[in-house]
Every structure is written in C-alpha cells, then in structure tokens.
Amino acid sequence: MFAAVTAVSAQNASFHNAPADADAKAPPPLSPADVDAGKATYVQRCAACHGLNAKGVANIPSLATGPTQSAKPGEVFWYITKGDLSNGMPSWATTLTDEQRWQVVGYLKSLGGGGAAPAAAAPAAAPEAAKFDAPPPTAPFTDFRFEKPGLTRKVTLADLPKPFATESAGNPARMVPRPEGAWPQAPEGFKVQLYTTGLTNPRLIRTAPNGDFFVAETSKGEIHVFRGITADGKPQEDSVFATGLNKPFGIAFYPQGPNPKWVYIGNLDSVVRFPYKNGDLKATAAPEHIAGIPGGRGHTTRDVRFSLDGKKMWVSVGSGSNVDDPDTTPAEKDRADILEFNPDGSGRRIYAYGIRNCVGEEVNPKTGELWCSVNERDGLGDNLVPDYITSVKPGGFYGWPWWYMGGHQDPRHEGKHPELKDKVITPDVLLNPHNASLQMTFYEGKQFPAEYAGDIFAAEHGSWNRSARVGYEVIRVPLHGTGHATGEYQDFLTGFVLPSGQVWGRPVGVTVAHDGALLVTDDGTNSIWLVTYTGGGAKTGR
Ligand code: HEC
C-alpha cells in the first residue's frame, strides 16, 4: 500500500516489511564497472517510472533520496526482486539476473542519499535490434505491433476474460532516445511536425481563449505558455507563466467565453487560481487558494473543468492505490471521485464516484455533460480491466475498487458491497486494458475533414501491466456528429514504440489550436507534436 511506505522509518522498521535476514546475503563486492552496469540497467528498466535522475516522477517515489537510501542494500535487493505489483512496482525476479539486481542496488546506493544530486544519467544503451515477438493478440485486444492510424476497435463487456486469465505483467516502458527516422504516424492526409522540444515533463495542455497554449510541466511545478504557430510549425513566443506550484496538472480558464478573469490550476492537493486576462504571458499575482483536495500518495493528476453554465467546477481526484478499500483505508476517502465545487471553492460534494483515475476531464460542448478519460486498475491480467472514456452521470458509480464494468466483482474484494453490484455503470467507450488513457478533448476545429467534427481525441500514455505493450498512441473516438459515442475508437497517432518493443515517446496531452491543428504533448521526448491536415501529400514533415 502507498500508505505503508510513508510509515517506514529508517531506524526501527524494515524497508517494506523486508524480512530480518534480508541483508544477511551481503552484496558481492561491486566494482565501479558494476555500478556503471547498474546505471545502464537503471536507465533502461527503471528510469521510465522513477525518472532519469532517480528522483521520482508524479506518484513514483524517489530512489536517490528517502527510504531507499536509508534501507540496507539487502532490503532494497529483496524488494526489487519481489516488487509490489498491486501498487505498480514490477517484480524483477525473472527480468533481471541476481547480478543485475545487485548492480542496480549498487548504483542506487552510489547516488549518495541525503538529497545529493546524482550524476547525470547516461543516454540509454544502444537499442536492442531484436524484434519483439510474441503470439499476435486476439481481437479486440491489441498491442503496439498492430496499432495503425485509422484502424477501428471496439471492446465490449462480452470480450472480458476472467480475472487472472493471464499473469499480471511487469512490463514498463523501456525508454530510448528517438532513433533517427522514428516519427509519429498519422492517417493519410495528415502531417506531423515537432512544434517544440526540451521541456521538462510536459503533461496537460490547454488552449486559452485567445489561442495561447498553456502546458503543465508537472514535475518542475511550472506552467508554460506557448504562442502562435509559425509557417514551419514552431512557436512564435514562449514564456513561463507560473512557478513554485505543487505538481500542477489541470488548467481551466474562467469564466468561459472570450474574456476570462482567472486561470485555475489543479495542484496535487489544492485548486488555486491566478488573475488572468487575454495575452498574459506571466502571472501578475500570487496564486489564490480556492479549495483543498486530497493529496498524498498515488495518482497525482487533478484536472479542473467548469460546467457550461459556469456554475460548477469539477475536479478529478484519482485513487491512492490500485486496490485499497476506502472503507478500511482512510487515505482513499474522497479519492477515485469527481469532486464538485462552486467556482469560489465552496459547496464541495461528490459528483461521481468509483472512477479509479479520471486523468482527463472535458465538458462535451454539444451536451454539456462532463466526460472522463480513465485509468482502470492493474494486477488482474493482460486483458483486464479496460481503461475507458465516458460521459459521467451525476451521482454515478463506476465500480472501483469493489466492482468493475458489467457487475464484475474484483476478486480482491470478494463478497464486499453486494448492494453496489447493479449500480456499476458501463462506460461509453471501453479501451484496451492498461492503455493509460490521459487527457482528452473534443475536436471543435475546422481544419480536419468534416467527419472529425465534434469527435474526441485522447492521449494513451501506454501500458506497464501488460505482457505486450499497448497504448502509446493518440486515439480518436468518432461521435458521428451526435455528441454520443458508439463504443468504437480508432488509432490516430502511433509509432512511439520500436519493433523491439522499446519506447521513445509517450503521449500525455491533447488540445486543438484555433486554426484547427492538434497539439500533443509527449513526456517521453519532452516535446509537443503538431498534427495538421494537408489533404494528402507528405505524412510527416521535419
Ligand atoms: C512501472 C513503473 C516502475 C518501474 C519500471 C520501476 N518501479 Fe520501482 N516503484 C514503482 C512504484 C509505483 C513504487 C511505489 C510502490 C508503493 O507505493 O508501494 C516503486 C517503488 C520502488 C522502491 C521503493 C521506494 C520507496 O521509497 O519505498 C524501490 C527501491 C524501487 N521501486 C526500485 C526500482 C528499481 C531498481 C527499478 C528498476 C529495476 C524499478 N523500481 C522500476 C514503479 C516502478
């Protein structure tokens, strides 16, 4: 459990309840070459989650500081061998040899603890040429090898396997620098350009009423603004709007319409707002505290949207864990919920619940409904539980943690809350399980072909809990001009995974520019991609 980790104290409790003899098997003497080898393994296997500098990313703990530094080497070795799958830490028992695990421990310990800055991480080791080969997936489930712009997919309740039909995989992204020639792939007639790069952990992106793009650089605690798109697809101006925020993610302009007075930001544990008028590139005052929201361990993204009538603010707060029961784990109270407030922060209530992690919120401009792009739970096997995109029913219950779609009980909560079984809402669009569906937006632009009008685009950050990677793409949910989904979705922007299975890019955010182009943030390359429709000709442009 996330909570248990915080309770570990260096002096008297063991690290993650490691057995007393965990350190008895003293590490073999490690040479500097071993530490270097440990670093290479770290960069390939661990950095995607714990960060290149091992200081943690979002809800993933720092290893360069904190308990990992105060624990005994044997305890760290024991823990990484076993992992803690239900909380998102893979087991490395079979993927790394004993020697490699000791080398990684050696490398982590060389980071010195006490907050000392680790040496800059080396670039990833040379990509392994070997092609990932596993049997092909059974439709409607897929994996990166079969994702292709324009392909339509539909997952239904009838497709769901039983829990544990396959093992729970620990297969996180193995990040490599973007190889020469690798580029995001869009459907015929679209062109993809690199809008900007060199950001730090770019996450959510939103278009301001005046057309500027606001981007949350979450791990840095900053909000960045980009202005304009030059003829060769670059920003005309950029500026840091605000610094010193606590894991900012959600961004919302208020009141809606052409002349907002504030920009609201979803921090880890609060909603704050800055005074804002069109054209501001820097905040002109300190943030005003609007509402406290549950922070703590686990999912950190807090998106913020306003109802079309401007009367309500909806804030999404993901769960602290994969599976913990809010009845018995106080830290889960008011999490895995959409919280509703008045725009001044008063009037808090639960708008919808049992939504494990609604990372991206958006209000459907046609119907006024709140929609969510949701990360469902892990640990039940390759093809469970589907992530989803859905309109959110006021007061609705989406199942977590006791149930999931279709009235299925999570086997880890057998027998609990039978009265909720029939309340579990089936989401509008079931995605491939473990896709990691992040920000979503409705396409209200005029540039793309007419059949895209009103459709949803969503960023799929990509799986870790699946034996063959899935996600790592931008998808389109066609609404056929109705404002409602049919359950289908399509691959739209793919190509972030190499044939070897190594990953160079990970989509996080999507927004539509005033000229109708689509911008996509990518925290793998720390870039923003620009997707335009050219009506044919080159698919990619540099
Ligand atoms: C898929 C993401 C992911 C990958 C890859 C990953 N970890 Fe973790 N790791 C986690 C999460 C999540 C936790 C926190 C688990 C919890 O809260 O109980 C964690 C916890 C840890 C901890 C305990 C830290 C603490 O403060 O309690 C150590 C040590 C650790 N990981 C080492 C590693 C090493 C070494 C590797 C690479 C061989 C690695 N991890 C790869 C996700 C990951």
Side-chain angles (χ1 to χ4, degrees), residues 1-6 8 15-16 38 41-50 57 59-63 65-69 71 75-77 79-81 83-92 95-96 100-101 104-105 107-108 169-174 297-298 320-321 463-465 506:
M1 290 186 295
F2 289 108
V5 179
T6 337
V8 167
F15 182 69
H16 290 272
T41 304
Y42 177 85
V43 169
Q44 274 225 337
R45 299 304 192 115
C46 321
C49 290
H50 290 281
V57 176
N59 58 328
I60 317 256
S62 168
L63 306 179
T65 57
T68 301
Q69 291 299 329
E75 292 177 327
V76 179
F77 178 88
Y79 177 76
I80 65 179
T81 303
D84 185 357
L85 255 190
S86 64
N87 283 310
M89 166 64 183
S91 155
W92 299 94
T95 21
L96 296 179
Q100 286 174 311
R101 273 175 274 128
V104 171
V105 172
Y107 168 63
L108 292 177
N171 181 28
R174 298 182 64 185
R297 290 203 74 131
S321 70
S463 63
W464 68 267
N465 189 225
R506 306 192 74 177

Side-chain angles (χ1 to χ4, degrees), residues 137-176:
T138 311
F141 303 112
T142 191
D143 66 51
F144 70 95
R145 297 169 296 174
F146 302 90
E147 290 170 359
K148 192 166 173 285
L151 283 188
T152 297
R153 314 186 173 280
K154 185 169 185 175
V155 179
T156 67
L157 292 179
D159 298 312
L160 303 190
K162 295 225 169 323
F164 310 119
T166 52
E167 251 176 47
S168 175
N171 181 28
R174 298 182 64 185
M175 299 305 297
V176 293

